[in-house]
Amino acid sequence: MGPLIPNGIITGDWNFVIAILLGIAFGFILEASGFSSSRNIVGVFYGYNFVVLRVFFTALIVTMVGLLYFDYFGWLNMSQIFILPTFWQPMLVGGVIMGLGFIMGGFCPGTSFTAIAIGKIDGLLFTIGLYLGIGMFSLAFPLFGDFYNSGNLGNVTVSDITGISSSWLALTFTIVALAAFWVTMLIEKKVRKRITEYKF
Amino acid sequence: MNRNYIILTLIMLILAIGTIFISQRQFTKQVPPEELLWDVLQPTRFVSTDLVAKRIIEKDPSQLLIDVRSASQFESFSLPGAINVPFDSLKTSAAMAYFGNPGTKVVLFSNDGILADEAWILLRRLAYKNNYVMKGGLNGWIQTIIRPLAPAETSSEKVIEQYNFRRAASMYFIGSKTDVNKSQKAKITFVKRKKSVVAAGGC
């Protein structure tokens, strides 16, 4: 059956409607998880709040396992799903830059918008910086354009590269994620005893 | 510990373990029956022996001939350049590599066309495109290309042209074994020259 638009079940005109609905849902979940507070977000690096890890790991394992079941029931054709091409070197460097920005700014791009939505000044400043960075990147693009396009591995998944079946990967990730949930809960308990509880 | 967390953890774990069992069921890609039925009814899935012959003569690289008869039959006679994929080994992975390649038109044939037709339906059901059946099979090939019947002299120009092509193709495939019209043979007569008689007598 799915994906809906490539298989002609609904027309491509629905693209923007779906994008808006998904965007609203995404923003709602981010806000509901407390991601519009940078203290909540960077807490993962200091060890007093692992909500980021929990929310994203939950999304990851639910999606992984869910997609496998959808494929099994014939609701979604996995071979038709678009997989972003992997440029391994630029992605590694980009991840490092992103991590630095994340811990310094206290937001990631999506959460900075939810922070603006509830009227936070730090979120607004972060977003201004975000656009400045995008502008600088665009202007300086010729300097590292070659690097930007290097190391293309194509549209591959972990299971394509390693040859491990996706269900085993899903199980592994689920076990790791569930273990992380319980371990971080214990860490939080220990750390939070020593620090004053923040009111977010 | 919160009891809800424990329940959620267990549900997630069971679901994740469940994926291992479901993935072992191999689902082959297949077209829906309505689509298959529609495609079966299309006459475009057949190619004529003339077109196949033309492509063989032109050495068209996009044509891939697949003989679905048994290996022994294939060895005794087949079309030039054909590959033998016996019907019972059609679904092996080695055989499947021939089908569904972009830019190639796979032409299936057998003795009468029925076996090739069955193979075509199997392949279409497995969602392979660009497969064709040679109309009439090898019997049709013999009747039309190798031993074409001469049309009536009053036939249209197109039919006569087709006949001429078939005769030429026949020569291409089996060598020049054309019937020579004996009536047109020029009769060679040897005329003996009369010996010139030297005049007797005289000096």
Side-chain angles (χ1 to χ4, degrees), chain A residues 61-62 65 68-69 72 165 167-168 170-171 174-175 178 182 185-186 189, chain B residues 1-2 5-6 9 12-20 22-23 25 27:
Chain A
I61 60 174
V62 169
V65 173
L68 288 174
Y69 278 102
Y72 173 72
S165 81
S167 52
W168 279 105
L171 179 66
T174 309
I175 290 169
L178 292 173
W182 289 99
M185 230 183 276
L186 295 176
K189 263 192 180 171
Chain B
M1 286 290 172
N2 194 331
Y5 285 163
I6 296 172
T9 306
M12 199 61 229
L13 206 59
I14 290 164
L15 283 173
I17 292 168
T19 58
I20 288 161
I22 60 166
S23 68
R25 286 179 58 177
F27 279 88

Side-chain angles (χ1 to χ4, degrees), chain A residues 96-200:
Chain A
V96 170
I97 296 169
M98 161 88 191
L100 283 172
F102 199 176
I103 195 164
M104 264 202 286
F107 290 111
C108 66
T111 57
S112 69
F113 289 106
T114 57
I116 294 177
I118 61 166
K120 286 198 153 204
I121 292 168
D122 56 348
L124 188 68
L125 290 173
F126 185 92
T127 314
I128 291 169
L130 186 78
Y131 280 110
L132 282 177
I134 292 172
M136 274 157 60
F137 179 84
S138 309
L139 291 176
F141 185 76
L143 292 177
F144 37 72
D146 289 338
F147 178 69
Y148 182 83
N149 290 316
S150 64
N152 188 0
L153 300 178
N155 307 2
V156 288
T157 59
V158 179
S159 129
D160 290 338
I161 288 183
T162 56
I164 305 166
S165 81
S166 42
S167 52
W168 279 105
L169 280 172
L171 179 66
T172 315
F173 268 96
T174 309
I175 290 169
V176 169
L178 292 173
F181 293 167
W182 289 99
V183 170
T184 53
M185 230 183 276
L186 295 176
I187 294 174
E188 272 183 3
K189 263 192 180 171
K190 278 197 171 172
V191 173
R192 284 198 182 182
K193 266 180 203 163
R194 284 189 271 114
I195 60 167
T196 46
E197 191 79 37
Y198 289 106
K199 288 267 179 257
F200 299 119

